[in-house]
Amino acid sequence: LLSPQFHRQLAADMLGNRVTHNDMMEVAECALQICVECESLRQARQRSTQRGILLRLENESHQLSAKLLSEIFADLSLNVLGNMQVLLDGPSFLSMIQELLDHDVPAIRQRAIVFLKDRLQSLLSEKRMSQIEHGLYLDLCGRLRTIIKTNLTKLFAEKGDQPSSSSSANAALSLPYAQSALLAIDVLVLKLGKTPQWQTVVMDILGEYLSYFDAVYVLVGLRSSSGHYQQKALESRKFLGSLMLSCSSLCMALHAAALPVFPALMEKTLHVFVSEASQWRDDTVRTMNLDSDRRAHVLFLRSLISATSIMFSSLPKFSHPYIATILPLLLEVSTNFASSGEEAVVVDVAGMDDDAE
């Protein structure tokens, strides 16, 4: 399977024989379906008092461990997908993923996009890319943008002030799915965003992300009747942290071209920064009963600081008007972290030029 000659033969065969391609699509879909079923089986058995599965074969009966069975089959399925990556070149893999992303089963779409995100990491080590692949990745980026927009629109349409089990379930699926698409776009932008044919696309994406900002931040503060954050609020906080880091990556790819939207981006960033810092000042965070609520605040604050650092390094000569606002906030947050015993927030400035640092 690792033989380059075999790989070339398979790719050449697929140019004229779509049967091979269709067979691989079916294998990939079945492997993903098995992973989903194994996860459903594991969760169902955790909620049940019965921990085993009774298997009857004619006159024989066997008691199987549901947990062990699901882990074995899930591992085998992931191995199938891993081996299939070796067999498929970039265009063939992207064609397979595009079809899986349109699958009717939401859990398969979620698995497919996580798998895509892992595969895209290999892009960073590739030195050259054909024009065909450039076009395919542009199409893929458009598909990922649609995934983000569709899932967020569905979430925004729900009544956020009325917590329900269905609302939490939708948030548990929609936001991680959108976040995975967000991170996949981030990898694409990191590799291709500075090329001329991607600059306009990157600018459009930055505008889209800014349009999501306010609506997502409204969901961040939703609480249940007991005063704890709803699941939707916790997932929204994670997504917003990733959204801000992605905005900073887009700025890094655009540099001076991002200047028209930079003031609006910094205005939204500072608004959130002031709000988060005030919650530490008022002891809102430190007096939270649930560790998950406190941890969500801490992780979001770290994402916020890292994103701001990257934005400043991307446009250092235009960041000075915001330093007078953000520096006292950083000092205040640092003091609050030290007094609460939390791990310090560290921003890595390695790689910045002298002016940016």
Side-chain angles (χ1 to χ4, degrees):
L1 295 182
L2 297 177
S3 167
Q5 182 180 358
F6 177 76
H7 188 102
R8 287 193 293 270
Q9 288 176 351
L10 179 64
D13 176 64
M14 290 180 65
L15 292 176
N17 182 11
R18 301 303 294 175
V19 174
T20 306
H21 175 268
N22 294 336
D23 286 345
M24 287 191 172
M25 283 294 306
E26 187 174 352
V27 170
E29 185 173 324
C30 290
L32 285 167
Q33 182 68 55
I34 289 174
C35 289
V36 172
E37 294 295 337
C38 288
E39 180 64 19
S40 300
L41 175 64
R42 185 185 65 82
Q43 292 181 358
R45 290 298 169 177
Q46 283 182 342
R47 295 190 296 266
S48 172
T49 56
Q50 184 181 357
R51 290 289 182 262
I53 298 175
L54 184 62
L55 177 65
R56 298 184 184 278
L57 299 174
E58 296 182 353
N59 297 328
E60 298 180 358
S61 298
H62 301 274
Q63 190 75 19
L64 306 178
S65 166
K67 181 176 182 296
L68 183 60
L69 189 68
S70 62
E71 288 177 353
I72 290 174
F73 274 99
D75 186 57
L76 289 172
S77 300
L78 291 174
N79 284 340
V80 168
L81 292 172
N83 289 333
M84 191 169 294
Q85 282 200 61
V86 181
L87 301 176
L88 295 177
D89 57 8
S92 301
F93 176 81
L94 289 176
S95 176
M96 178 188 73
I97 284 295
Q98 289 274 24
E99 294 191 37
L100 293 177
L101 289 175
D102 293 327
H103 200 281
D104 293 335
V105 179
I108 285 186
R109 297 198 299 267
Q110 169 69 10
R111 290 277 184 153
I113 202 168
V114 172
F115 190 60
L116 168 65
K117 181 168 62 72
D118 294 338
R119 170 68 182 246
L120 286 177
Q121 293 293 335
S122 63
L123 269 180
L124 302 178
S125 60
E126 294 182 9
K127 295 182 178 179
R128 300 183 63 183
M129 189 178 299
S130 67
Q131 289 298 318
I132 295 178
E133 286 181 302
H134 265 285
L136 289 172
Y137 282 120
L138 273 172
D139 291 341
L140 174 63
C141 186
R143 179 72 184 95
L144 294 172
R145 290 165 66 182
T146 301
I147 288 174
I148 296 172
K149 183 177 181 179
T150 301
N151 282 270
L152 290 183
T153 301
K154 185 191 309 180
L155 199 66
F156 298 154
E158 298 174 359
K159 297 296 182 182
D161 55 347
Q162 298 294 330
S164 64
S165 57
S166 61
S167 176
S168 296
N170 288 337
L173 186 61
S174 296
L175 279 171
Y177 187 31
Q179 186 176 14
S180 296
L182 194 78
L183 296 175
I185 290 178
D186 211 36
V187 177
L188 287 172
V189 170
L190 186 62
K191 174 66 178 179
L192 305 169
K194 294 182 180 180
T195 58
Q197 58 265 49
W198 272 76
Q199 286 284 290
T200 302
V201 176
V202 172
M203 193 67 182
D204 290 342
I205 295 173
L206 185 56
E208 285 181 6
Y209 287 0
L210 285 175
S211 70
Y212 301 146
F213 203 102
D214 293 336
V216 174
Y217 191 59
V218 169
L219 301 178
V220 164
L222 295 179
R223 296 176 182 268
S224 63
S225 56
S226 62
H228 302 312
Y229 283 118
Q230 296 179 26
Q231 182 63 28
K232 183 191 291 188
L234 295 175
E235 294 295 341
S236 298
R237 193 173 286 272
K238 293 178 186 177
F239 179 81
L240 187 58
S242 297
L243 185 67
M244 298 189 70
L245 286 170
S246 294
C247 285
S248 66
S249 297
L250 296 174
C251 287
M252 190 163 54
L254 291 168
H255 285 292
L259 191 57
V261 297
F262 188 65
L265 179 59
M266 287 309 305
E267 180 182 352
K268 293 179 183 294
T269 301
L270 290 177
H271 171 71
V272 176
F273 213 140
V274 170
S275 176
E276 291 295 306
S278 66
Q279 294 191 52
W280 283 92
R281 185 187 310 121
D282 300 337
D283 284 341
T284 304
V285 177
R286 283 178 285 181
T287 56
M288 287 179 175
N289 295 325
L290 291 183
D291 288 340
S292 59
D293 289 358
R294 296 180 73 253
R295 182 167 179 77
H297 268 278
V298 173
L299 293 178
F300 178 61
L301 196 56
R302 288 175 177 163
S303 298
L304 184 63
I305 294 174
S306 296
T308 305
S309 172
I310 296 172
M311 291 175 198
F312 278 12
S313 68
S314 301
L315 291 165
K317 298 184 184 301
F318 303 95
S319 302
H320 300 92
Y322 310 103
I323 292 179
T325 302
I326 206 166
L327 186 57
L329 291 173
L330 285 171
L331 294 174
E332 180 180 354
V333 168
S334 177
T335 303
N336 288 329
F337 265 65
S339 62
S340 64
E342 294 283 356
E343 182 182 350
V345 179
V346 178
V347 178
D348 185 8
V349 296
M352 294 185 186
D353 55 37
D354 292 339
D355 194 15
E357 188 171 345

